[in-house]
Structure formats: structure tokens, C-alpha cells
Amino acid sequence: MNIAHVLRRHWVRWAAFGLAVVLLALTAVVWGFYRKLDRNITEDTSAAAELRKYDRERPSSVAKGAQNILLIGSDSRAGKNKEYGRDGGTQRSDTTILLHVSRDRKRATAVSVPRDLMVTIPPCRGADGKRGNERLAQFNWAFESGGTACTVRTVEKMTNVRIDHYVVVDFEGFKKMVDAVGGVKVCVERPIDDKDAHLKLAAGDQKLDGEEALGYVRVRKTLGDGSDTDRIDRQQKFLAALVSKMSGGDVLYNPGKLYPVLDAATSALTTDPGLASLRDLYGMVRDVRSVPTKDVRFLTVPREAYAADPNRDQLVQPAAERLFAQLRNDSPVRVDPDPSASASPAPSASARVSGKPDRTEAGGEGAEAAPGRDPAGTGGDAAGTGRDGAGTGRDAAGAGNGGHYRGTTAADAGCSGA
């Protein structure tokens, strides 16, 4: 017998056995990671059950294959979020975005809904189990009074767009996601020094960590006129920069960075049952990731100062309905960063109001959210917000020349000329 042949045969067997052991161990590790990420996601079955009760009155899907996802940024001060204010841990929607992903997965449109927008809120069941009456109130009252299901129904009633999925992210989760991608670079147009938001930034391109990013998207009372307008603009630009960073190969194709990002993201999310698994969530992310960054668009619903209370907003028609129809029918929505793309009203000195500081102000004044009750019966909130009642900087026309909207895209990151 050839000894060399025997040794070679034994070596091949041992090598094959060793490779099988390594592959088995690797499979176990990958499966363990998968299971951990999968268990991270919180499934919101109560909101889904509540929505099923009203399925007959909800709008139907018009563009089959397109996806409409409601993204809700919760500013509850419960748990680790208590450092951002004192309100007993109630839930409030600090940011709400309707994300539309086109049927061909070549376009994505993210539409911000201002929390001070006056809308009709349908009868919703509160945390106490009691069902309220339909009412006219500011938009963020829907989340505070009736949670995710009420917010979904309110958006559907306003837009007649069927919401396919919903995702809720809180402060802590937002910070972790930003830190996991290694920070996000944004253009700071002017220096920021806000003690309440714990934020001090110089003008120019700045790379923000999670804590700084949270302050950046929430601060408002030391910037501009103190309204939500500037803050929403910053939120859109930051999200555009985050999408651009996430789409880059430095994160997606680097396992050392991708896993922390996935771990942070899944830990931060509360979703409907249809997105409550890593497979389903990855499918949604894959759809958005396939959209070119220049075709991921961010804008705000066309709005102006509310007639009964200039410290609140109202939709501008027919511009708002035109936008909602584009989303329903999966039609392209064009945004233009140039303010001249849409006519904004000049500020009127007579329309300015001093108002009181908004109790839901970013930076954490810490008091309870204004519920949108109006003693005078106008549907507004008795407490002012301290912003310019003339609606300075709001996109009052909503849709300008040729149906263009003022906004930004995921490709518009960094300072111009930088």
C-alpha cells in the first residue's frame, strides 16, 4: 500500500471534516445573529387589531405594488428618554413622515406632516379604553390620544392614501442608529448654541454623532422664527444625508459596520405585524435602497397659517389634494430646493403674534403636550407657539410651477460649494 496515498486520503478527510465544522459553526453564528436581530423588533399587534375594526372605512390601495409606510418619531419621555423633558412618559409624535415607494422601486417620496397642522381626527380609542369623538385638533394630538392606530387613520382620512405599514422610532433608537453608521455629515447654515437641546455647532459641514443629531433635528426655539418650518427642513436634510450614508458601500458592504447598524435599527423599531420580522423589514429596506439617491425626495404637505389661530397650520388646497393624488396614483413628485419653485407669502407685520413658548418645543421644556383643545371653539390651541404667525418660510402655495414642490433629495448632502 502506498503510504503517501493513505496519508493524503486521511488529510483530505480531515480537511473536509474541519471545513464542515467551520461551516457549521459559522452557520450557528449567523443564525444566532439573525435570531437576535429578529427578536429585537417590537411587534405592535394592538394597533393592527384596532385598524382591522375600521378596515371598511379605510381607503383602498389604488396603485398595486406601490408601498405607503408611515414613519412616526415618538418623543415620549418615558424610560431613557426622560432626560429630554418631564411629561410623565406620555407618547407624542415629534415627527411624522408618509413614505411612498413607487411600484417600480425607482422613486421614493417622503412627505412630512407638521405636528401643528389642524386636521380632523376620527373617533379613536385611548389608552384608558374609552373612545373619543371626532374632533378638529392639531395633528400630534392623534398619537397622544389614540396612539399609532389613530395616527394612521388620521393620515388616511386627510390624504385618502392607504397606509400599508407603520414604523415607530423613539429618541434612543434614533441616536443609536446614527452612532452605528459612524455619524452623519450635514450642512449647518449658521452657528447653533442651544442649551436646552444640548447642542453647540459651528456653521459649515459638520459630522454629527447620535446625541448631536437628535439635538439638530429637534432644536427650534433658538433658530429662525421658532416655528416647526425650519425644524422640518432640517429633519428632511438630515434624513437625506442619512439615506445617502446608508446607501454607500462603506456601510452596506462592511459586515463590521452593517451588523451594529442592523442591531441599532431593529432595537429601535416598533412595527405592524407585516414588518415585524427581519426578513420583512429587509424587504422594505431593499426596496428603498434600490431607489437612486437623487430620486429619494423629501417635502412637506402644502400648508399655511391656520385661519382661526396663526400659531397653527392648515392645508393649502388644491395643492395638498394634488400632492395626495400623486401619491395615491403612484405619479412622480418633483421637488426643487430653490425657494422660487413655490410662492411663499411675504411676512405681514400685522399678522405677527408674540405667543407663548410651545410646551412641546424641541429641546425639552418638559411640560405636557398641548392637546389642541380650544376654549374659544375654533379648534386651535389656547397656548401659542412663539412662532411667526405670518407663516414666514412656510410653503403657502404648496405646488408651484408645473406641480413642483419645495424640498430636498438624498443627493443634496453637504454645503453647496463644499
Side-chain angles (χ1 to χ4, degrees):
M1 178 179 292
N2 189 322
I3 296 178
H5 177 73
V6 172
L7 290 176
R8 187 163 51 250
R9 187 170 57 186
H10 280 294
W11 181 87
V12 170
R13 288 176 179 175
W14 278 106
F17 176 74
L19 181 60
V21 170
V22 170
L23 290 176
L24 183 62
L26 183 60
T27 301
V29 170
V30 172
W31 176 248
F33 283 155
Y34 179 89
R35 291 292 297 161
K36 182 182 184 303
L37 295 175
D38 203 50
R39 288 194 297 265
N40 280 348
I41 305 170
T42 301
E43 181 180 3
D44 187 353
T45 55
S46 61
E50 181 72 5
L51 288 172
R52 281 196 295 270
K53 297 177 182 178
Y54 295 91
D55 196 60
R56 288 186 178 181
E57 70 178 42
R58 297 178 63 193
S60 58
S61 297
V62 176
K64 302 299 182 183
Q67 290 282 300
N68 295 300
I69 305 153
L70 196 65
L71 309 175
I72 303 171
S74 168
D75 67 348
S76 166
R77 268 64 169 189
K80 293 183 179 180
N81 293 331
K82 63 184 178 182
E83 64 183 279
Y84 302 108
R86 301 174 301 279
D87 72 349
T90 58
Q91 60 176 6
R92 297 180 297 183
S93 55
D94 192 66
T95 302
T96 303
I97 295 174
L98 173 56
L99 174 64
H100 173 83
V101 184
S102 66
R103 177 172 22 200
D104 59 10
R105 302 303 187 256
K106 293 182 179 180
R107 293 174 282 105
T109 306
V111 182
S112 296
V113 182
R115 63 184 186 180
D116 291 336
L117 184 70
M118 298 303 295
V119 296
T120 300
I121 298 176
C124 294
R125 182 172 61 86
D128 58 2
K130 298 179 180 179
R131 198 168 301 280
N133 298 318
E134 182 177 286
R135 63 182 302 172
L136 178 67
Q138 62 193 77
F139 175 72
N140 68 343
W141 180 236
F143 191 72
E144 183 176 352
S145 63
T148 303
C150 191
T151 304
V152 169
R153 292 177 59 212
T154 300
V155 171
E156 290 184 337
K157 186 176 184 66
M158 175 178 69
T159 65
N160 202 28
V161 172
R162 173 82 177 206
I163 304 300
D164 301 298
H165 299 290
Y166 50 85
V167 177
V168 181
V169 185
D170 69 8
F171 287 163
E172 196 66 23
F174 175 83
K175 286 166 37 180
K176 287 180 178 178
M177 282 191 287
V178 174
D179 285 334
V181 299
V184 176
K185 189 175 77 170
V186 298
C187 177
V188 180
E189 295 180 356
R190 52 187 179 276
I192 301 174
D193 188 0
D194 192 296
K195 293 181 180 179
D196 288 331
H198 311 293
L199 185 65
K200 187 172 184 178
L201 297 172
D205 280 329
Q206 302 292 338
K207 188 175 183 180
L208 309 184
D209 62 21
E211 189 71 38
E212 291 170 331
L214 180 61
Y216 178 75
V217 299
R218 297 184 63 242
V219 64
R220 72 174 183 175
K221 66 181 181 180
T222 59
L223 294 179
D225 59 10
S227 74
D228 247 4
T229 300
D230 282 348
R231 192 170 68 119
I232 290 174
D233 287 343
R234 286 196 307 277
Q235 288 174 351
Q236 292 173 352
K237 290 175 181 176
F238 180 86
L239 290 174
L242 179 60
V243 168
S244 182
K245 180 72 177 283
M246 289 286 293
S247 299
D250 185 49
V251 173
L252 285 178
Y253 304 111
N254 185 335
K257 290 187 177 181
L258 182 58
Y259 179 78
V261 171
L262 292 175
D263 188 36
T266 52
S267 299
L269 303 181
T270 298
T271 76
D272 65 277
L275 286 181
S277 72
L278 190 60
R279 181 186 60 186
D280 294 327
L281 194 62
Y282 175 76
M284 182 193 75
V285 173
R286 181 189 57 205
D287 288 344
V288 177
R289 190 184 67 186
S290 65
V291 179
T293 53
K294 66 181 180 64
D295 292 319
V296 181
R297 304 173 176 91
F298 297 84
L299 65 151
T300 307
V301 295
R303 83 278 191 209
E304 63 187 357
Y306 178 49
D309 182 353
N311 289 309
R312 298 288 175 259
D313 289 332
Q314 65 184 20
L315 292 176
V316 172
Q317 297 296 1
E321 175 51 34
R322 190 157 55 238
L323 171 62
F324 301 151
Q326 287 175 290
L327 298 178
R328 284 195 299 271
N329 298 313
D330 197 29
S331 302
V333 175
R334 177 172 175 177
V335 301
D336 194 329
D338 183 0
S340 65
S342 55
S344 297
S348 167
S350 62
R352 294 179 183 270
V353 295
S354 58
K356 299 177 182 179
D358 187 352
R359 293 183 293 174
T360 64
E361 219 161 22
E365 293 251 314
E368 183 180 354
R373 292 188 290 266
D374 179 16
T378 61
D381 182 3
T385 62
R387 61 183 160 136
D388 180 0
T392 310
R394 296 178 194 167
D395 182 4
N401 300 330
H404 300 181
Y405 299 87
R406 183 178 177 181
T408 188
T409 74
D412 299 329
C415 295
S416 58

